[in-house]
Amino acid sequence: MATDPLAAFRLDGRTAIVTGASSGLGAGFGIALALVGARVVLAARRLDRLAEVAEQIRAVGGQALTVKADVADPADCADVVAAAMAEFGSVDVLVNNAGLGPAVPASRETPESFRAVIDVNLNGTFWMSQECARVMKPGSSIVNVSSVLGLVASHFPQASYSASKAGVLGLTRDLAQQWSRRKGIRVNALCPGYLITEMNSEHADQIGAVVADGTLLGRFGEQAEVDSALIFLASPASSFVTGTHLTVDGGYTAI
């Protein structure tokens, strides 16, 4: 009997953790996951902003839990997972979205700044993945949000950010190698191109020139276009996909 292929994109009865969920891509990811049936745990440092996202999820009939956390702190990561288990009884999807993205010339970036970016973007991805893997069951999915700048050079001075996002890709491959067969946990990365978010809005004009000249589609991406890719990687629709990355960049890396 034929089955509905769209059913594979549903996450009914599953619990998804989204880090960096107080704004930007993370907030959008939380809402998108709720719309396909997931119970969503929203984690970030700004609890007031998380509450606003949770209300949007509840407004569309979803379930949401907010947890204040800094993913650079392994203890906070453990607390997020413990809260998810206490509230919903499972962790089935992890979206490692929390990130910092300063644009600082390499000759002037301080050790403190560089370490802070690595601590959140790379180390935080590992701490959250490690904690979730302890409780995830076979069929679970981890999606690490990397970037096109983990694949190609930036037009802006972003050494720490680019290094961290390239590291996320290496981490993704290794965790997939360790956990896909032994634990049944798929691990993939999502590499978005340029979208206007809270993180980069102050440089929108400069970025716009790069996008116009250096992207095949000649425009910024939109949240919904990245949401669709995330849902694919998070859901059973990608059940034969692990250890790789999905680039959603309007052709930026093709030039």
Side-chain angles (χ1 to χ4, degrees):
M1 178 182 294
T3 58
D4 179 2
L6 292 180
F9 291 85
R10 298 290 305 179
L11 288 167
D12 301 286
R14 302 194 184 203
T15 302
I17 295 175
V18 183
T19 68
S22 60
S23 64
L25 281 176
F29 288 160
I31 296 167
L33 290 165
L35 287 170
V36 293
R39 303 169 299 205
V40 185
V41 179
L42 305 165
R45 292 178 292 186
R46 296 178 294 181
L47 198 55
D48 57 331
R49 297 289 293 274
L50 287 178
E52 295 173 10
V53 180
E55 282 306 308
Q56 293 180 66
I57 288 174
R58 295 179 187 121
V60 297
Q63 298 180 67
L65 172 70
T66 62
V67 184
K68 184 177 181 180
D70 179 351
V71 298
D73 184 347
D76 277 14
C77 295
D79 288 345
V80 173
V81 176
M85 293 298 292
E87 182 74 13
F88 297 126
S90 70
V91 175
D92 308 286
V93 174
L94 168 63
V95 182
N96 278 310
N97 172 75
L100 302 176
V104 183
S107 58
R108 298 205 301 269
E109 187 158 22
T110 65
E112 293 76 17
S113 172
F114 196 94
R115 290 189 182 110
V117 174
I118 298 297
D119 247 357
V120 172
N121 296 7
L122 180 56
N123 297 348
T125 294
F126 179 68
W127 304 136
M128 279 302 307
S129 298
Q130 187 180 59
E131 288 298 329
C132 286
R134 301 187 200 281
V135 302
M136 281 178 156
K137 296 180 179 179
S140 297
S141 173
I142 294 175
V143 183
N144 298 325
V145 180
S146 180
S147 166
V148 291
L149 302 188
L151 297 167
V152 297
S154 173
H155 286 76
F156 305 99
Q158 292 184 280
S160 56
Y161 182 78
S162 296
S164 70
K165 293 303 186 179
V168 166
L169 294 176
L171 179 64
T172 297
R173 290 188 295 269
D174 194 83
L175 295 184
Q177 184 273 327
Q178 293 191 48
W179 295 344
S180 293
R181 184 177 298 186
R182 186 163 64 88
K183 290 179 173 287
I185 300 171
R186 296 182 300 105
V187 187
N188 292 290
L190 180 62
C191 294
Y194 283 108
L195 297 83
I196 294 298
T197 66
E198 182 179 312
M199 184 186 296
N200 65 25
S201 58
E202 62 183 287
H203 304 292
D205 291 342
Q206 293 172 280
I207 296 171
V210 170
V211 169
D213 294 337
T215 303
L216 292 180
L217 291 181
R219 63 172 176 82
F220 287 103
E222 298 179 3
Q223 175 80 47
E225 294 172 315
V226 187
D227 289 344
S228 300
L230 174 79
I231 291 168
F232 169 69
L233 292 177
S235 71
S238 60
S239 59
F240 198 52
V241 180
T242 193
T244 191
H245 63 270
L246 176 57
T247 305
V248 186
D249 68 349
Y252 180 81
T253 53
I255 294 178

Coordinates of all heavy atoms in Angstrom, one line a residue, residues 165-244:
K165 N 32.6 27.4 12.7 CA 31.6 26.8 11.9 C 32.3 25.6 11.0 O 31.6 24.6 10.7 CB 30.9 27.8 11.0 CG 30.1 28.8 11.7 CD 29.0 28.0 12.5 CE 28.0 29.0 13.2 NZ 27.0 28.3 14.0
A166 N 33.5 25.8 10.7 CA 34.2 24.7 10.0 C 34.4 23.5 11.0 O 34.3 22.4 10.7 CB 35.6 25.1 9.5
G167 N 34.7 23.9 12.3 CA 34.8 22.9 13.3 C 33.6 22.1 13.5 O 33.6 20.9 13.8
V168 N 32.4 22.8 13.4 CA 31.1 22.2 13.6 C 30.9 21.1 12.5 O 30.4 20.0 12.8 CB 30.0 23.2 13.5 CG1 28.6 22.5 13.3 CG2 30.0 24.0 14.8
L169 N 31.4 21.3 11.3 CA 31.3 20.3 10.2 C 32.1 19.1 10.6 O 31.7 18.0 10.4 CB 31.7 21.0 8.9 CG 30.8 22.1 8.4 CD1 31.3 22.6 7.1 CD2 29.4 21.5 8.2
G170 N 33.3 19.3 11.0 CA 34.2 18.2 11.4 C 33.6 17.4 12.6 O 33.6 16.2 12.6
L171 N 33.0 18.1 13.6 CA 32.4 17.5 14.7 C 31.2 16.7 14.2 O 31.0 15.6 14.7 CB 32.0 18.6 15.7 CG 31.2 18.1 17.0 CD1 32.1 17.2 17.8 CD2 30.7 19.3 17.8
T172 N 30.4 17.2 13.3 CA 29.2 16.5 12.8 C 29.6 15.2 12.2 O 29.0 14.2 12.5 CB 28.6 17.4 11.7 OG1 28.1 18.6 12.3 CG2 27.4 16.7 11.1
R173 N 30.7 15.2 11.4 CA 31.1 13.9 10.7 C 31.5 12.9 11.8 O 31.2 11.7 11.7 CB 32.2 14.2 9.8 CG 31.8 14.9 8.5 CD 32.9 15.0 7.5 NE 34.0 15.8 7.9 CZ 34.2 17.1 7.7 NH1 33.2 17.8 7.1 NH2 35.2 17.7 8.1
D174 N 32.3 13.4 12.8 CA 32.8 12.4 13.8 C 31.7 11.9 14.7 O 31.7 10.7 15.0 CB 33.9 13.1 14.6 CG 34.6 12.0 15.4 OD1 35.6 11.4 14.9 OD2 34.3 11.8 16.6
L175 N 30.8 12.7 15.1 CA 29.7 12.2 16.0 C 28.8 11.3 15.2 O 28.3 10.3 15.7 CB 28.9 13.4 16.5 CG 29.6 14.4 17.5 CD1 28.6 15.4 18.0 CD2 30.2 13.6 18.6
A176 N 28.6 11.5 13.9 CA 27.8 10.6 13.1 C 28.5 9.3 13.0 O 27.9 8.2 13.0 CB 27.6 11.2 11.7
Q177 N 29.8 9.3 12.8 CA 30.6 8.1 12.7 C 30.5 7.3 14.0 O 30.4 6.1 14.0 CB 32.1 8.4 12.4 CG 33.0 7.2 12.2 CD 33.6 6.7 13.5 OE1 33.8 7.4 14.5 NE2 33.8 5.4 13.6
Q178 N 30.5 8.0 15.2 CA 30.4 7.3 16.5 C 29.0 6.8 16.8 O 28.9 5.8 17.4 CB 30.9 8.2 17.6 CG 32.4 8.5 17.5 CD 32.9 9.2 18.7 OE1 32.7 8.8 19.8 NE2 33.6 10.3 18.5
W179 N 28.0 7.6 16.5 CA 26.7 7.4 17.0 C 25.6 6.8 16.1 O 24.6 6.2 16.5 CB 26.1 8.6 17.6 CG 26.9 9.1 18.8 CD1 27.8 8.4 19.6 CD2 26.8 10.5 19.4 NE1 28.3 9.2 20.6 CE2 27.7 10.5 20.5 CE3 26.1 11.6 19.1 CZ2 27.9 11.6 21.3 CZ3 26.3 12.8 19.9 CH2 27.2 12.7 20.9
S180 N 25.8 6.9 14.8 CA 24.8 6.5 13.8 C 24.5 5.0 13.9 O 23.3 4.6 14.0 CB 25.2 6.9 12.4 OG 25.2 8.3 12.2
R181 N 25.5 4.2 13.9 CA 25.3 2.8 14.0 C 25.2 2.3 15.4 O 24.3 1.5 15.7 CB 26.5 2.0 13.3 CG 26.3 0.5 13.2 CD 27.4 -0.2 12.5 NE 27.5 0.2 11.1 CZ 28.3 -0.3 10.3 NH1 29.1 -1.3 10.6 NH2 28.4 0.1 9.0
R182 N 26.0 2.8 16.3 CA 26.0 2.3 17.7 C 24.8 2.7 18.5 O 24.2 2.0 19.2 CB 27.3 2.7 18.4 CG 27.5 2.1 19.8 CD 28.9 2.3 20.3 NE 29.3 3.7 20.4 CZ 29.1 4.4 21.5 NH1 28.5 3.8 22.6 NH2 29.4 5.7 21.6
K183 N 24.3 4.0 18.3 CA 23.2 4.5 19.0 C 22.0 4.7 18.2 O 20.9 4.9 18.7 CB 23.6 5.8 19.7 CG 24.6 5.7 20.8 CD 24.9 7.1 21.4 CE 25.8 7.0 22.6 NZ 25.0 6.5 23.8
G184 N 22.1 4.7 16.9 CA 20.9 5.0 16.0 C 20.6 6.4 16.0 O 19.4 6.8 15.7
I185 N 21.6 7.3 16.3 CA 21.3 8.7 16.3 C 22.0 9.3 15.0 O 23.2 9.2 14.8 CB 22.0 9.4 17.5 CG1 21.4 8.9 18.8 CG2 21.8 10.9 17.4 CD1 22.1 9.3 20.0
R186 N 21.2 9.9 14.2 CA 21.7 10.6 13.0 C 22.2 12.0 13.3 O 21.6 12.7 14.1 CB 20.7 10.7 11.9 CG 20.2 9.3 11.4 CD 19.2 9.5 10.3 NE 18.0 10.2 10.7 CZ 17.7 11.4 10.4 NH1 18.5 12.2 9.6 NH2 16.6 12.0 10.8
V187 N 23.4 12.4 12.8 CA 24.0 13.7 13.0 C 24.3 14.3 11.7 O 25.1 13.8 10.9 CB 25.2 13.6 13.9 CG1 25.7 15.0 14.3 CG2 25.0 12.7 15.1
N188 N 23.7 15.5 11.5 CA 23.9 16.2 10.2 C 24.1 17.7 10.5 O 23.8 18.2 11.6 CB 22.8 16.0 9.3 CG 22.7 14.6 8.7 OD1 23.5 14.2 8.0 ND2 21.6 13.9 9.2
A189 N 24.6 18.4 9.5 CA 24.7 19.9 9.7 C 23.9 20.6 8.6 O 23.7 20.1 7.5 CB 26.2 20.3 9.6
L190 N 23.5 21.8 9.0 CA 22.8 22.7 8.1 C 23.6 23.9 7.9 O 24.1 24.5 8.9 CB 21.4 23.1 8.8 CG 20.5 24.0 8.0 CD1 20.1 23.4 6.7 CD2 19.3 24.4 8.9
C191 N 23.9 24.3 6.7 CA 24.7 25.4 6.3 C 23.9 26.5 5.6 O 23.8 26.5 4.4 CB 25.9 25.0 5.4 SG 27.0 23.8 6.2
P192 N 23.3 27.4 6.4 CA 22.6 28.5 5.8 C 23.5 29.5 5.1 O 24.7 29.7 5.5 CB 21.9 29.1 7.0 CG 22.0 28.2 8.1 CD 23.3 27.5 7.9
G193 N 23.0 30.2 4.1 CA 23.7 31.3 3.5 C 23.3 32.6 4.2 O 23.0 32.5 5.4
Y194 N 23.3 33.6 3.5 CA 23.0 34.9 4.1 C 21.5 35.2 4.2 O 20.7 35.2 3.3 CB 23.6 36.1 3.3 CG 25.1 36.1 3.5 CD1 26.0 35.7 2.5 CD2 25.6 36.6 4.7 CE1 27.4 35.8 2.8 CE2 27.0 36.7 5.0 CZ 27.9 36.3 4.0 OH 29.2 36.4 4.2
L195 N 21.1 35.4 5.5 CA 19.7 35.9 5.8 C 19.9 37.1 6.7 O 21.0 37.2 7.4 CB 18.9 34.8 6.6 CG 18.6 33.5 5.8 CD1 19.7 32.5 5.9 CD2 17.3 32.9 6.5
I196 N 19.0 38.0 6.8 CA 19.1 39.1 7.7 C 18.5 38.7 9.0 O 17.3 38.3 9.1 CB 18.3 40.3 7.2 CG1 19.0 40.9 5.9 CG2 18.3 41.4 8.2 CD1 20.4 41.3 6.1
T197 N 19.4 38.7 10.0 CA 18.9 38.3 11.4 C 19.4 39.3 12.4 O 20.1 40.3 12.0 CB 19.6 36.9 11.8 OG1 21.0 37.1 11.9 CG2 19.3 35.8 10.8
E198 N 19.0 39.1 13.6 CA 19.5 40.1 14.6 C 21.0 40.2 14.7 O 21.6 41.2 15.0 CB 18.9 39.6 16.0 CG 19.2 40.6 17.2 CD 18.6 40.1 18.5 OE1 17.4 39.8 18.5 OE2 19.4 40.0 19.5
M199 N 21.6 39.0 14.5 CA 23.1 39.0 14.6 C 23.8 39.9 13.5 O 24.8 40.5 13.8 CB 23.6 37.5 14.4 CG 25.1 37.3 14.6 SD 25.6 35.6 14.3 CE 24.7 34.7 15.5
N200 N 23.3 39.9 12.3 CA 24.0 40.6 11.3 C 23.2 41.9 10.7 O 23.7 42.5 9.8 CB 24.3 39.7 10.1 CG 23.1 39.2 9.4 OD1 22.0 39.8 9.4 ND2 23.2 38.0 8.8
S201 N 22.2 42.3 11.4 CA 21.3 43.3 10.8 C 22.1 44.7 10.7 O 21.8 45.5 9.8 CB 20.1 43.5 11.7 OG 20.4 43.8 13.0
E202 N 23.0 44.9 11.6 CA 23.7 46.2 11.5 C 24.7 46.3 10.3 O 25.1 47.4 10.0 CB 24.5 46.4 12.8 CG 25.6 45.4 13.1 CD 26.3 45.7 14.4 OE1 27.1 46.6 14.5 OE2 26.0 44.9 15.4
H203 N 25.0 45.1 9.7 CA 25.8 45.1 8.5 C 25.0 44.8 7.2 O 25.6 44.4 6.2 CB 26.9 44.1 8.7 CG 27.8 44.3 9.9 ND1 28.6 45.4 10.0 CD2 27.9 43.6 11.0 CE1 29.2 45.4 11.2 NE2 28.8 44.3 11.8
A204 N 23.7 45.0 7.3 CA 22.8 44.6 6.2 C 23.2 45.2 4.9 O 23.2 44.5 3.8 CB 21.4 44.9 6.5
D205 N 23.6 46.4 4.8 CA 23.9 47.1 3.6 C 25.1 46.5 3.0 O 25.2 46.2 1.7 CB 24.1 48.6 3.8 CG 22.8 49.3 4.1 OD1 21.7 48.7 3.8 OD2 22.9 50.4 4.6
Q206 N 26.2 46.2 3.8 CA 27.4 45.6 3.3 C 27.1 44.2 2.8 O 27.6 43.8 1.7 CB 28.5 45.6 4.4 CG 29.0 47.0 4.8 CD 29.9 46.9 6.0 OE1 29.4 46.8 7.1 NE2 31.2 46.9 5.8
I207 N 26.4 43.5 3.6 CA 26.1 42.1 3.2 C 25.3 42.0 1.9 O 25.5 41.2 1.1 CB 25.4 41.4 4.4 CG1 26.3 41.3 5.6 CG2 24.9 40.0 3.9 CD1 25.6 40.8 6.8
G208 N 24.4 43.0 1.8 CA 23.5 43.0 0.6 C 24.3 43.1 -0.7 O 24.0 42.5 -1.7
A209 N 25.4 43.9 -0.7 CA 26.2 44.0 -1.9 C 26.9 42.7 -2.2 O 27.0 42.3 -3.4 CB 27.3 45.1 -1.6
V210 N 27.3 42.0 -1.2 CA 27.9 40.7 -1.4 C 26.9 39.7 -1.9 O 27.2 38.9 -2.8 CB 28.5 40.1 0.0 CG1 28.9 38.7 -0.2 CG2 29.7 41.0 0.4
V211 N 25.7 39.7 -1.4 CA 24.7 38.8 -1.8 C 24.3 39.1 -3.3 O 24.1 38.1 -4.1 CB 23.4 38.9 -0.9 CG1 22.2 38.2 -1.5 CG2 23.8 38.4 0.5
A212 N 24.2 40.3 -3.6 CA 23.8 40.7 -5.0 C 24.8 40.2 -6.0 O 24.4 39.7 -7.1 CB 23.6 42.2 -5.1
D213 N 26.0 40.3 -5.7 CA 27.1 40.0 -6.7 C 27.6 38.5 -6.5 O 28.1 38.0 -7.5 CB 28.3 40.9 -6.5 CG 28.0 42.3 -6.8 OD1 27.0 42.6 -7.6 OD2 28.7 43.2 -6.3
G214 N 27.4 37.9 -5.4 CA 28.1 36.7 -5.1 C 27.2 35.5 -4.9 O 27.6 34.4 -4.4
T215 N 25.9 35.6 -5.2 CA 24.9 34.6 -5.0 C 24.1 34.3 -6.3 O 23.7 35.3 -6.9 CB 23.9 34.9 -3.8 OG1 24.7 35.2 -2.6 CG2 23.0 33.8 -3.5
L216 N 24.0 33.1 -6.7 CA 23.3 32.8 -7.9 C 21.9 33.4 -8.0 O 21.4 33.9 -9.0 CB 23.3 31.3 -8.2 CG 24.7 30.7 -8.5 CD1 24.5 29.2 -8.7 CD2 25.4 31.3 -9.7
L217 N 21.2 33.3 -6.9 CA 19.8 33.8 -6.9 C 19.8 35.3 -6.6 O 18.7 35.9 -6.7 CB 19.0 33.1 -5.8 CG 18.7 31.6 -6.1 CD1 17.8 31.0 -5.0 CD2 18.0 31.5 -7.4
G218 N 20.9 35.9 -6.2 CA 21.0 37.3 -6.1 C 20.1 38.0 -5.0 O 19.7 39.1 -5.1
R219 N 19.8 37.2 -3.9 CA 19.0 37.8 -2.9 C 19.3 37.1 -1.6 O 20.0 36.0 -1.5 CB 17.5 37.6 -3.2 CG 17.1 36.1 -3.3 CD 15.6 36.0 -3.4 NE 15.1 34.6 -3.6 CZ 14.9 33.8 -2.6 NH1 15.1 34.1 -1.4 NH2 14.4 32.5 -2.9
F220 N 18.8 37.7 -0.5 CA 18.9 37.0 0.8 C 17.9 35.8 0.9 O 16.9 35.8 0.2 CB 18.5 38.0 1.9 CG 19.5 39.1 2.2 CD1 19.3 40.4 1.7 CD2 20.7 38.8 2.9 CE1 20.3 41.4 2.0 CE2 21.6 39.8 3.2 CZ 21.4 41.1 2.7
G221 N 18.3 34.9 1.7 CA 17.4 33.8 2.0 C 16.3 34.2 3.0 O 16.5 35.3 3.7
E222 N 15.3 33.5 3.1 CA 14.2 33.7 4.1 C 14.1 32.6 5.1 O 14.5 31.5 4.8 CB 12.9 33.9 3.3 CG 12.9 35.1 2.3 CD 11.6 35.2 1.6 OE1 10.6 34.4 1.9 OE2 11.5 36.1 0.7
Q223 N 13.6 32.9 6.3 CA 13.5 32.0 7.3 C 12.8 30.7 6.9 O 13.3 29.6 7.1 CB 12.7 32.6 8.5 CG 12.4 31.6 9.7 CD 13.6 31.4 10.6 OE1 14.2 32.4 11.0 NE2 13.9 30.2 11.0
A224 N 11.7 30.8 6.2 CA 10.9 29.7 5.8 C 11.7 28.7 4.9 O 11.5 27.5 4.9 CB 9.6 30.1 5.1
E225 N 12.6 29.3 4.1 CA 13.4 28.5 3.2 C 14.5 27.6 4.0 O 14.8 26.5 3.5 CB 14.1 29.4 2.2 CG 13.1 30.0 1.2 CD 13.7 31.1 0.3 OE1 14.5 31.9 0.8 OE2 13.4 31.1 -0.9
V226 N 14.9 28.1 5.1 CA 15.8 27.3 5.9 C 15.0 26.4 6.8 O 15.5 25.3 7.1 CB 16.7 28.3 6.8 CG1 17.8 27.5 7.5 CG2 17.4 29.3 5.9
D227 N 13.8 26.8 7.3 CA 13.0 26.0 8.1 C 12.7 24.6 7.4 O 12.7 23.6 8.0 CB 11.6 26.6 8.3 CG 11.7 27.8 9.3 OD1 12.7 27.9 10.0 OD2 10.7 28.6 9.3
S228 N 12.4 24.7 6.1 CA 12.1 23.5 5.4 C 13.3 22.5 5.4 O 13.1 21.3 5.5 CB 11.7 23.8 3.9 OG 10.6 24.7 3.9
A229 N 14.5 23.0 5.2 CA 15.7 22.2 5.2 C 15.9 21.6 6.6 O 16.3 20.4 6.8 CB 16.9 23.0 4.8
L230 N 15.7 22.4 7.7 CA 15.8 21.9 9.0 C 14.8 20.7 9.3 O 15.2 19.7 9.9 CB 15.6 23.0 10.0 CG 15.6 22.5 11.5 CD1 17.0 22.3 12.0 CD2 14.8 23.5 12.4
I231 N 13.6 20.9 8.9 CA 12.6 19.9 9.2 C 12.9 18.6 8.5 O 12.8 17.5 9.0 CB 11.2 20.4 8.7 CG1 10.7 21.5 9.7 CG2 10.2 19.3 8.7 CD1 9.5 22.3 9.2
F232 N 13.5 18.7 7.2 CA 13.9 17.5 6.5 C 15.0 16.8 7.4 O 14.9 15.5 7.6 CB 14.5 17.9 5.2 CG 15.2 16.8 4.5 CD1 14.6 15.7 4.0 CD2 16.6 16.8 4.3 CE1 15.2 14.6 3.4 CE2 17.3 15.8 3.7 CZ 16.6 14.7 3.2
L233 N 16.0 17.5 7.8 CA 17.1 16.8 8.6 C 16.6 16.3 10.0 O 17.2 15.3 10.5 CB 18.3 17.8 8.8 CG 19.0 18.1 7.5 CD1 20.1 19.2 7.8 CD2 19.6 16.9 6.8
A234 N 15.7 17.0 10.6 CA 15.2 16.6 11.9 C 14.3 15.4 11.9 O 14.2 14.7 12.9 CB 14.6 17.8 12.6
S235 N 13.6 15.2 10.8 CA 12.5 14.3 10.7 C 12.9 13.0 10.1 O 13.9 12.8 9.5 CB 11.3 14.9 9.9 OG 11.7 15.0 8.6
P236 N 12.0 12.0 10.2 CA 12.2 10.7 9.5 C 12.4 10.8 8.0 O 12.8 9.8 7.4 CB 11.0 9.8 9.9 CG 10.6 10.4 11.2 CD 10.8 11.9 11.1
A237 N 12.0 11.9 7.4 CA 12.2 12.1 6.0 C 13.6 11.9 5.5 O 13.9 11.6 4.4 CB 11.7 13.5 5.6
S238 N 14.5 12.2 6.5 CA 16.0 12.0 6.1 C 16.6 10.8 6.8 O 17.7 10.8 7.2 CB 16.7 13.3 6.5 OG 16.6 13.5 7.9
S239 N 15.8 9.8 7.0 CA 16.3 8.6 7.8 C 17.5 7.9 7.2 O 18.2 7.1 7.9 CB 15.1 7.6 7.9 OG 14.7 7.2 6.6
F240 N 17.9 8.2 6.0 CA 19.1 7.6 5.4 C 20.2 8.6 5.2 O 21.0 8.4 4.3 CB 18.7 6.8 4.1 CG 19.8 5.8 3.6 CD1 20.2 4.9 4.4 CD2 20.3 5.9 2.3 CE1 21.2 3.9 4.0 CE2 21.2 5.0 1.9 CZ 21.7 4.0 2.7
V241 N 20.1 9.7 5.9 CA 21.0 10.8 5.8 C 21.7 11.0 7.1 O 21.1 11.3 8.1 CB 20.3 12.1 5.4 CG1 21.3 13.2 5.2 CG2 19.5 11.9 4.1
T242 N 23.1 10.9 7.1 CA 23.8 11.1 8.3 C 25.3 11.4 8.0 O 25.8 11.0 6.9 CB 23.8 9.9 9.3 OG1 24.3 10.4 10.6 CG2 24.6 8.7 8.8
G243 N 25.9 12.3 8.8 CA 27.3 12.6 8.6 C 27.6 13.5 7.5 O 28.7 13.6 7.0
T244 N 26.6 14.3 7.1 CA 26.8 15.2 6.0 C 26.2 16.6 6.3 O 25.8 16.8 7.4 CB 26.2 14.7 4.7 OG1 26.6 15.4 3.5 CG2 24.7 14.6 4.7

